[in-house]
Short mmCIF file of all heavy atoms in Angstrom, two decimals:
data_model
loop_
_atom_site.label_atom_id
_atom_site.label_comp_id
_atom_site.label_asym_id
_atom_site.label_seq_id
_atom_site.Cartn_x
_atom_site.Cartn_y
_atom_site.Cartn_z
N MET A 18 103.13 8.76 -13.33
CA MET A 18 102.12 8.00 -12.59
C MET A 18 102.39 6.50 -12.76
O MET A 18 102.53 6.00 -13.87
CB MET A 18 100.73 8.35 -13.12
CG MET A 18 99.62 7.71 -12.38
SD MET A 18 98.06 8.41 -12.99
CE MET A 18 96.93 7.41 -12.13
N GLU A 19 102.48 5.80 -11.66
CA GLU A 19 102.77 4.37 -11.69
C GLU A 19 101.49 3.57 -11.94
O GLU A 19 100.45 3.84 -11.36
CB GLU A 19 103.41 3.93 -10.38
CG GLU A 19 103.94 2.53 -10.46
CD GLU A 19 104.84 2.18 -9.28
OE1 GLU A 19 105.61 3.06 -8.85
OE2 GLU A 19 104.75 1.05 -8.81
N ASP A 20 101.59 2.57 -12.79
CA ASP A 20 100.46 1.71 -13.13
C ASP A 20 100.21 0.73 -11.98
O ASP A 20 101.13 0.03 -11.55
CB ASP A 20 100.77 0.95 -14.42
CG ASP A 20 99.56 0.27 -15.04
OD1 ASP A 20 98.71 -0.24 -14.29
OD2 ASP A 20 99.49 0.24 -16.27
N GLU A 21 98.98 0.66 -11.48
CA GLU A 21 98.66 -0.25 -10.37
C GLU A 21 98.85 -1.71 -10.73
O GLU A 21 98.99 -2.57 -9.87
CB GLU A 21 97.22 -0.03 -9.89
CG GLU A 21 96.18 -0.51 -10.91
CD GLU A 21 94.76 -0.47 -10.38
OE1 GLU A 21 94.55 -0.74 -9.19
OE2 GLU A 21 93.87 -0.16 -11.19
N ARG A 22 98.90 -2.01 -12.02
CA ARG A 22 99.06 -3.39 -12.47
C ARG A 22 100.51 -3.85 -12.44
O ARG A 22 100.79 -5.03 -12.62
CB ARG A 22 98.51 -3.56 -13.89
CG ARG A 22 97.04 -3.19 -13.99
CD ARG A 22 96.57 -3.17 -15.41
NE ARG A 22 97.27 -2.11 -16.14
CZ ARG A 22 97.12 -1.88 -17.45
NH1 ARG A 22 96.32 -2.63 -18.16
NH2 ARG A 22 97.78 -0.90 -18.04
N CYS A 23 101.44 -2.93 -12.21
CA CYS A 23 102.86 -3.29 -12.19
C CYS A 23 103.13 -4.36 -11.12
O CYS A 23 102.60 -4.29 -10.01
CB CYS A 23 103.72 -2.06 -11.95
SG CYS A 23 105.49 -2.42 -12.00
N CYS A 24 103.96 -5.33 -11.46
CA CYS A 24 104.26 -6.44 -10.55
C CYS A 24 105.19 -6.05 -9.42
O CYS A 24 105.44 -6.84 -8.51
CB CYS A 24 104.86 -7.60 -11.33
SG CYS A 24 106.51 -7.25 -11.99
N GLY A 25 105.71 -4.82 -9.46
CA GLY A 25 106.59 -4.36 -8.41
C GLY A 25 108.03 -4.21 -8.85
O GLY A 25 108.86 -3.69 -8.14
N SER A 26 108.34 -4.69 -10.06
CA SER A 26 109.71 -4.60 -10.56
C SER A 26 110.07 -3.18 -10.98
O SER A 26 111.25 -2.84 -11.04
CB SER A 26 109.89 -5.54 -11.76
OG SER A 26 109.14 -5.07 -12.87
N GLY A 27 109.06 -2.39 -11.30
CA GLY A 27 109.30 -1.03 -11.77
C GLY A 27 109.66 -0.97 -13.24
O GLY A 27 109.96 0.09 -13.77
N THR A 28 109.62 -2.11 -13.93
CA THR A 28 109.97 -2.15 -15.35
C THR A 28 108.81 -2.55 -16.23
O THR A 28 108.99 -2.81 -17.42
CB THR A 28 111.14 -3.12 -15.60
OG1 THR A 28 110.72 -4.44 -15.21
CG2 THR A 28 112.38 -2.71 -14.83
N CYS A 29 107.61 -2.61 -15.69
CA CYS A 29 106.45 -3.07 -16.46
C CYS A 29 106.08 -2.09 -17.57
O CYS A 29 106.07 -0.88 -17.37
CB CYS A 29 105.24 -3.25 -15.56
SG CYS A 29 105.43 -4.60 -14.38
N ILE A 30 105.84 -2.64 -18.73
CA ILE A 30 105.27 -1.91 -19.86
C ILE A 30 104.05 -2.73 -20.26
O ILE A 30 104.18 -3.82 -20.83
CB ILE A 30 106.26 -1.78 -21.03
CG1 ILE A 30 107.51 -1.05 -20.56
CG2 ILE A 30 105.60 -1.06 -22.20
CD1 ILE A 30 108.64 -1.05 -21.58
N ILE A 31 102.87 -2.25 -19.93
CA ILE A 31 101.63 -3.01 -20.08
C ILE A 31 100.80 -2.42 -21.21
O ILE A 31 100.51 -1.23 -21.22
CB ILE A 31 100.85 -3.01 -18.76
CG1 ILE A 31 101.74 -3.55 -17.64
CG2 ILE A 31 99.58 -3.82 -18.89
CD1 ILE A 31 101.23 -3.31 -16.25
N ASN A 32 100.39 -3.28 -22.16
CA ASN A 32 99.60 -2.80 -23.29
C ASN A 32 98.12 -2.72 -22.93
O ASN A 32 97.72 -3.04 -21.80
CB ASN A 32 99.84 -3.66 -24.54
CG ASN A 32 99.32 -5.07 -24.42
OD1 ASN A 32 98.53 -5.41 -23.54
ND2 ASN A 32 99.77 -5.93 -25.32
N ALA A 33 97.30 -2.32 -23.89
CA ALA A 33 95.86 -2.12 -23.66
C ALA A 33 95.14 -3.41 -23.27
O ALA A 33 94.11 -3.37 -22.60
CB ALA A 33 95.22 -1.52 -24.91
N GLU A 34 95.68 -4.56 -23.69
CA GLU A 34 95.07 -5.85 -23.34
C GLU A 34 95.51 -6.35 -21.98
O GLU A 34 95.09 -7.42 -21.54
CB GLU A 34 95.40 -6.91 -24.40
CG GLU A 34 94.71 -6.68 -25.74
CD GLU A 34 95.43 -5.64 -26.58
OE1 GLU A 34 96.67 -5.57 -26.53
OE2 GLU A 34 94.74 -4.88 -27.28
N GLY A 35 96.39 -5.61 -21.31
CA GLY A 35 96.85 -6.01 -19.99
C GLY A 35 98.05 -6.93 -19.99
O GLY A 35 98.40 -7.50 -18.96
N ARG A 36 98.71 -7.09 -21.14
CA ARG A 36 99.88 -7.96 -21.22
C ARG A 36 101.14 -7.13 -21.07
O ARG A 36 101.31 -6.12 -21.72
CB ARG A 36 99.91 -8.72 -22.54
CG ARG A 36 101.08 -9.70 -22.62
CD ARG A 36 101.03 -10.59 -23.82
NE ARG A 36 99.81 -11.37 -23.90
CZ ARG A 36 99.62 -12.54 -23.30
NH1 ARG A 36 100.55 -13.06 -22.56
NH2 ARG A 36 98.49 -13.19 -23.44
N CYS A 37 102.04 -7.59 -20.21
CA CYS A 37 103.31 -6.93 -19.98
C CYS A 37 104.35 -7.49 -20.95
O CYS A 37 104.21 -8.61 -21.45
CB CYS A 37 103.77 -7.17 -18.54
SG CYS A 37 105.30 -6.31 -18.10
N TRP A 38 105.40 -6.73 -21.19
CA TRP A 38 106.47 -7.17 -22.09
C TRP A 38 107.11 -8.47 -21.61
O TRP A 38 107.63 -9.25 -22.41
CB TRP A 38 107.55 -6.08 -22.22
CG TRP A 38 108.31 -5.85 -20.94
CD1 TRP A 38 108.00 -4.97 -19.96
CD2 TRP A 38 109.46 -6.56 -20.50
NE1 TRP A 38 108.88 -5.07 -18.92
CE2 TRP A 38 109.81 -6.05 -19.23
CE3 TRP A 38 110.24 -7.57 -21.03
CZ2 TRP A 38 110.89 -6.51 -18.49
CZ3 TRP A 38 111.33 -8.02 -20.29
CH2 TRP A 38 111.64 -7.49 -19.04
N CYS A 39 107.05 -8.76 -20.30
CA CYS A 39 107.67 -9.97 -19.75
C CYS A 39 106.81 -11.22 -19.93
O CYS A 39 107.25 -12.32 -19.63
CB CYS A 39 107.98 -9.77 -18.27
SG CYS A 39 106.52 -9.76 -17.21
N GLY A 40 105.56 -11.04 -20.41
CA GLY A 40 104.68 -12.18 -20.64
C GLY A 40 103.58 -12.34 -19.61
O GLY A 40 102.68 -13.15 -19.80
N GLN A 41 103.65 -11.58 -18.53
CA GLN A 41 102.59 -11.67 -17.54
C GLN A 41 101.33 -10.96 -18.05
O GLN A 41 101.39 -10.07 -18.88
CB GLN A 41 103.02 -11.04 -16.21
CG GLN A 41 104.11 -11.83 -15.53
CD GLN A 41 104.33 -11.35 -14.12
OE1 GLN A 41 103.44 -11.42 -13.29
NE2 GLN A 41 105.54 -10.84 -13.85
N GLN A 42 100.18 -11.40 -17.56
CA GLN A 42 98.88 -10.89 -17.98
C GLN A 42 98.11 -10.41 -16.76
O GLN A 42 98.06 -11.09 -15.74
CB GLN A 42 98.09 -12.00 -18.69
CG GLN A 42 96.72 -11.62 -19.15
CD GLN A 42 96.74 -10.73 -20.37
OE1 GLN A 42 97.54 -10.93 -21.27
NE2 GLN A 42 95.86 -9.75 -20.41
N TRP A 43 97.48 -9.23 -16.88
CA TRP A 43 96.63 -8.71 -15.82
C TRP A 43 95.34 -9.51 -15.82
O TRP A 43 94.66 -9.64 -16.83
CB TRP A 43 96.34 -7.23 -16.06
CG TRP A 43 95.44 -6.60 -15.05
CD1 TRP A 43 94.16 -6.20 -15.26
CD2 TRP A 43 95.75 -6.29 -13.69
NE1 TRP A 43 93.65 -5.65 -14.11
CE2 TRP A 43 94.60 -5.70 -13.13
CE3 TRP A 43 96.87 -6.45 -12.89
CZ2 TRP A 43 94.55 -5.27 -11.81
CZ3 TRP A 43 96.82 -6.03 -11.58
CH2 TRP A 43 95.68 -5.45 -11.05
N ASP A 44 94.98 -10.11 -14.66
CA ASP A 44 93.76 -10.93 -14.58
C ASP A 44 92.61 -10.21 -13.89
O ASP A 44 91.60 -10.81 -13.56
CB ASP A 44 94.06 -12.26 -13.88
CG ASP A 44 94.44 -12.09 -12.42
OD1 ASP A 44 94.40 -10.97 -11.88
OD2 ASP A 44 94.79 -13.12 -11.80
N GLY A 45 92.77 -8.92 -13.65
CA GLY A 45 91.75 -8.13 -12.97
C GLY A 45 92.06 -7.94 -11.50
O GLY A 45 91.46 -7.10 -10.84
N VAL A 46 92.99 -8.75 -10.98
CA VAL A 46 93.40 -8.66 -9.58
C VAL A 46 94.91 -8.48 -9.47
O VAL A 46 95.39 -7.67 -8.69
CB VAL A 46 92.96 -9.93 -8.80
CG1 VAL A 46 93.42 -9.86 -7.36
CG2 VAL A 46 91.46 -10.11 -8.88
N SER A 47 95.64 -9.25 -10.24
CA SER A 47 97.10 -9.20 -10.16
C SER A 47 97.72 -9.59 -11.50
O SER A 47 97.05 -10.11 -12.38
CB SER A 47 97.60 -10.15 -9.08
OG SER A 47 97.28 -11.48 -9.42
N MET A 48 99.03 -9.34 -11.60
CA MET A 48 99.78 -9.78 -12.77
C MET A 48 100.25 -11.20 -12.53
O MET A 48 100.75 -11.52 -11.44
CB MET A 48 101.00 -8.88 -13.00
CG MET A 48 100.67 -7.48 -13.44
SD MET A 48 99.84 -7.37 -15.02
CE MET A 48 101.20 -7.52 -16.14
N SER A 49 100.08 -12.06 -13.50
CA SER A 49 100.57 -13.43 -13.38
C SER A 49 100.78 -14.00 -14.78
O SER A 49 100.25 -13.48 -15.76
CB SER A 49 99.58 -14.30 -12.60
OG SER A 49 98.32 -14.31 -13.24
N PHE A 50 101.55 -15.07 -14.86
CA PHE A 50 101.76 -15.70 -16.15
C PHE A 50 100.49 -16.47 -16.52
O PHE A 50 99.92 -17.17 -15.68
CB PHE A 50 102.98 -16.63 -16.12
CG PHE A 50 104.26 -15.86 -16.06
CD1 PHE A 50 104.93 -15.68 -14.87
CD2 PHE A 50 104.78 -15.28 -17.21
CE1 PHE A 50 106.09 -14.93 -14.82
CE2 PHE A 50 105.95 -14.54 -17.17
CZ PHE A 50 106.60 -14.37 -15.97
N PRO A 51 100.03 -16.32 -17.75
CA PRO A 51 98.80 -16.99 -18.16
C PRO A 51 98.96 -18.50 -18.13
O PRO A 51 100.04 -19.04 -18.37
CB PRO A 51 98.55 -16.49 -19.58
CG PRO A 51 99.81 -15.88 -20.04
CD PRO A 51 100.62 -15.54 -18.83
N LYS A 52 97.88 -19.18 -17.84
CA LYS A 52 97.87 -20.65 -17.84
C LYS A 52 97.79 -21.14 -19.28
O LYS A 52 97.14 -20.51 -20.11
CB LYS A 52 96.67 -21.17 -17.05
CG LYS A 52 96.76 -20.80 -15.59
CD LYS A 52 95.54 -21.25 -14.83
CE LYS A 52 95.69 -20.80 -13.39
NZ LYS A 52 94.47 -20.62 -12.71
N PRO A 53 98.43 -22.25 -19.58
CA PRO A 53 98.34 -22.78 -20.95
C PRO A 53 96.88 -23.09 -21.29
O PRO A 53 96.13 -23.59 -20.46
CB PRO A 53 99.15 -24.07 -20.90
CG PRO A 53 99.95 -24.01 -19.65
CD PRO A 53 99.24 -23.07 -18.72
N HIS A 54 96.51 -22.76 -22.51
CA HIS A 54 95.13 -23.01 -22.94
C HIS A 54 94.97 -24.46 -23.35
O HIS A 54 95.84 -25.03 -23.99
CB HIS A 54 94.77 -22.11 -24.13
CG HIS A 54 94.78 -20.67 -23.78
ND1 HIS A 54 93.80 -20.09 -23.02
CD2 HIS A 54 95.66 -19.67 -24.04
CE1 HIS A 54 94.07 -18.81 -22.86
NE2 HIS A 54 95.20 -18.52 -23.46
N GLU A 55 93.83 -25.02 -22.98
CA GLU A 55 93.52 -26.37 -23.42
C GLU A 55 93.03 -26.31 -24.86
O GLU A 55 92.46 -25.32 -25.28
CB GLU A 55 92.44 -27.00 -22.54
CG GLU A 55 92.91 -27.36 -21.17
CD GLU A 55 91.86 -28.15 -20.41
OE1 GLU A 55 90.93 -28.68 -21.04
OE2 GLU A 55 91.98 -28.23 -19.19
N GLU A 56 93.26 -27.37 -25.59
CA GLU A 56 92.79 -27.43 -26.96
C GLU A 56 91.26 -27.44 -26.97
O GLU A 56 90.63 -28.13 -26.16
CB GLU A 56 93.32 -28.71 -27.61
CG GLU A 56 93.23 -28.74 -29.10
CD GLU A 56 93.93 -29.96 -29.64
OE1 GLU A 56 93.50 -31.10 -29.33
OE2 GLU A 56 94.91 -29.79 -30.37
N ALA A 57 90.66 -26.69 -27.85
CA ALA A 57 89.20 -26.62 -27.94
C ALA A 57 88.63 -28.00 -28.27
O ALA A 57 89.23 -28.76 -29.04
CB ALA A 57 88.80 -25.62 -29.01
N PRO A 58 87.47 -28.36 -27.72
CA PRO A 58 86.88 -29.68 -27.96
C PRO A 58 86.70 -30.00 -29.45
O PRO A 58 86.96 -31.12 -29.88
CB PRO A 58 85.53 -29.62 -27.25
CG PRO A 58 85.72 -28.59 -26.19
CD PRO A 58 86.68 -27.60 -26.76
N ALA A 59 86.28 -29.03 -30.26
CA ALA A 59 86.08 -29.28 -31.69
C ALA A 59 87.40 -29.62 -32.37
O ALA A 59 87.45 -30.51 -33.23
CB ALA A 59 85.44 -28.06 -32.35
N VAL A 60 88.46 -28.97 -31.99
CA VAL A 60 89.78 -29.25 -32.57
C VAL A 60 90.24 -30.63 -32.13
O VAL A 60 90.76 -31.41 -32.92
CB VAL A 60 90.80 -28.17 -32.15
CG1 VAL A 60 92.20 -28.55 -32.58
CG2 VAL A 60 90.41 -26.82 -32.68
N ARG A 61 90.01 -30.96 -30.86
CA ARG A 61 90.40 -32.27 -30.34
C ARG A 61 89.67 -33.37 -31.10
O ARG A 61 90.28 -34.37 -31.49
CB ARG A 61 90.09 -32.31 -28.84
CG ARG A 61 90.67 -33.48 -28.13
CD ARG A 61 90.56 -33.37 -26.61
NE ARG A 61 89.31 -32.86 -26.11
CZ ARG A 61 89.17 -31.72 -25.42
NH1 ARG A 61 90.21 -30.98 -25.16
NH2 ARG A 61 87.99 -31.32 -24.99
N GLU A 62 88.37 -33.22 -31.33
CA GLU A 62 87.59 -34.23 -32.03
C GLU A 62 88.04 -34.36 -33.48
O GLU A 62 88.13 -35.47 -34.01
CB GLU A 62 86.09 -33.91 -31.96
CG GLU A 62 85.51 -34.04 -30.56
CD GLU A 62 85.70 -35.43 -29.97
OE1 GLU A 62 85.49 -36.44 -30.69
OE2 GLU A 62 86.06 -35.52 -28.79
N ALA A 63 88.34 -33.25 -34.13
CA ALA A 63 88.80 -33.28 -35.51
C ALA A 63 90.15 -34.00 -35.59
O ALA A 63 90.40 -34.77 -36.53
CB ALA A 63 88.91 -31.87 -36.08
N SER A 64 91.01 -33.78 -34.62
CA SER A 64 92.31 -34.44 -34.59
C SER A 64 92.14 -35.95 -34.43
O SER A 64 92.82 -36.74 -35.09
CB SER A 64 93.16 -33.91 -33.44
OG SER A 64 93.48 -32.56 -33.65
N LYS A 65 91.23 -36.36 -33.55
CA LYS A 65 90.97 -37.78 -33.35
C LYS A 65 90.44 -38.42 -34.63
O LYS A 65 90.87 -39.52 -35.01
CB LYS A 65 89.96 -37.99 -32.22
CG LYS A 65 90.53 -37.78 -30.84
CD LYS A 65 89.45 -38.04 -29.80
CE LYS A 65 89.93 -37.71 -28.43
NZ LYS A 65 88.88 -37.86 -27.42
N ALA A 66 89.51 -37.73 -35.30
CA ALA A 66 88.93 -38.27 -36.54
C ALA A 66 90.01 -38.41 -37.62
O ALA A 66 90.04 -39.42 -38.35
CB ALA A 66 87.81 -37.35 -37.03
N ALA A 67 90.90 -37.45 -37.73
CA ALA A 67 91.97 -37.52 -38.71
C ALA A 67 92.92 -38.67 -38.41
O ALA A 67 93.37 -39.37 -39.31
CB ALA A 67 92.74 -36.20 -38.73
N GLU A 68 93.21 -38.89 -37.13
CA GLU A 68 94.09 -39.98 -36.73
C GLU A 68 93.46 -41.34 -37.07
O GLU A 68 94.13 -42.25 -37.57
CB GLU A 68 94.40 -39.92 -35.25
CG GLU A 68 95.36 -38.80 -34.87
CD GLU A 68 95.54 -38.68 -33.38
OE1 GLU A 68 95.10 -39.56 -32.61
OE2 GLU A 68 96.13 -37.67 -32.96
N LEU A 69 92.15 -41.47 -36.81
CA LEU A 69 91.46 -42.72 -37.12
C LEU A 69 91.44 -42.98 -38.62
O LEU A 69 91.64 -44.10 -39.06
CB LEU A 69 90.03 -42.67 -36.58
CG LEU A 69 89.88 -42.78 -35.07
CD1 LEU A 69 88.43 -42.56 -34.67
CD2 LEU A 69 90.35 -44.15 -34.59
N LYS A 70 91.22 -41.94 -39.40
CA LYS A 70 91.18 -42.09 -40.85
C LYS A 70 92.54 -42.52 -41.39
O LYS A 70 92.61 -43.34 -42.29
CB LYS A 70 90.74 -40.78 -41.48
CG LYS A 70 90.42 -40.89 -42.94
CD LYS A 70 89.81 -39.61 -43.48
CE LYS A 70 89.38 -39.81 -44.92
NZ LYS A 70 88.69 -38.65 -45.44
N GLN A 71 93.61 -41.97 -40.83
CA GLN A 71 94.96 -42.34 -41.27
C GLN A 71 95.31 -43.77 -40.91
O GLN A 71 96.05 -44.44 -41.63
CB GLN A 71 95.99 -41.40 -40.66
CG GLN A 71 95.99 -40.02 -41.26
CD GLN A 71 97.02 -39.11 -40.61
OE1 GLN A 71 97.61 -39.47 -39.61
NE2 GLN A 71 97.19 -37.94 -41.18
N SER A 72 94.75 -44.28 -39.82
CA SER A 72 95.09 -45.63 -39.38
C SER A 72 94.32 -46.71 -40.12
O SER A 72 94.62 -47.89 -40.01
CB SER A 72 94.85 -45.77 -37.87
OG SER A 72 93.48 -45.66 -37.57
N GLU A 73 93.33 -46.31 -40.92
CA GLU A 73 92.53 -47.29 -41.67
C GLU A 73 93.27 -47.84 -42.86
O GLU A 73 94.11 -47.33 -43.47
CB GLU A 73 91.22 -46.65 -42.14
CG GLU A 73 90.29 -46.36 -40.99
CD GLU A 73 89.02 -45.68 -41.46
OE1 GLU A 73 88.89 -45.28 -42.63
OE2 GLU A 73 88.12 -45.55 -40.63
#
């Protein structure tokens, strides 16, 4: 039985989280490469505070 999430290459091996061995991710509609995640605001603020402290 062919997985409907396959990108059409016929070589997809998709895990329970919807990630294929090639790096594509099932988004509920199609397989595509995930977008880079932005840094969380709390991490960004902590990084800024550390940089300011080092520059003092």
Side-chain angles (χ1 to χ4, degrees):
M18 184 172 174
E19 190 168 321
D20 193 323
E21 69 172 324
R22 301 172 295 177
C23 183
C24 68
S26 68
T28 62
C29 293
I30 301 172
I31 304 166
N32 67 15
E34 290 80 35
R36 183 172 303 275
C37 183
W38 67 269
C39 72
Q41 292 191 62
Q42 178 75 39
W43 178 251
D44 66 5
V46 178
S47 64
M48 290 298 279
S49 59
F50 288 99
K52 295 177 182 154
H54 295 286
E55 288 188 17
E56 196 173 62
V60 173
R61 191 170 41 243
E62 292 302 316
S64 295
K65 285 181 185 176
E68 287 175 10
L69 288 174
K70 190 172 185 176
Q71 287 180 351
S72 66
E73 291 178 351

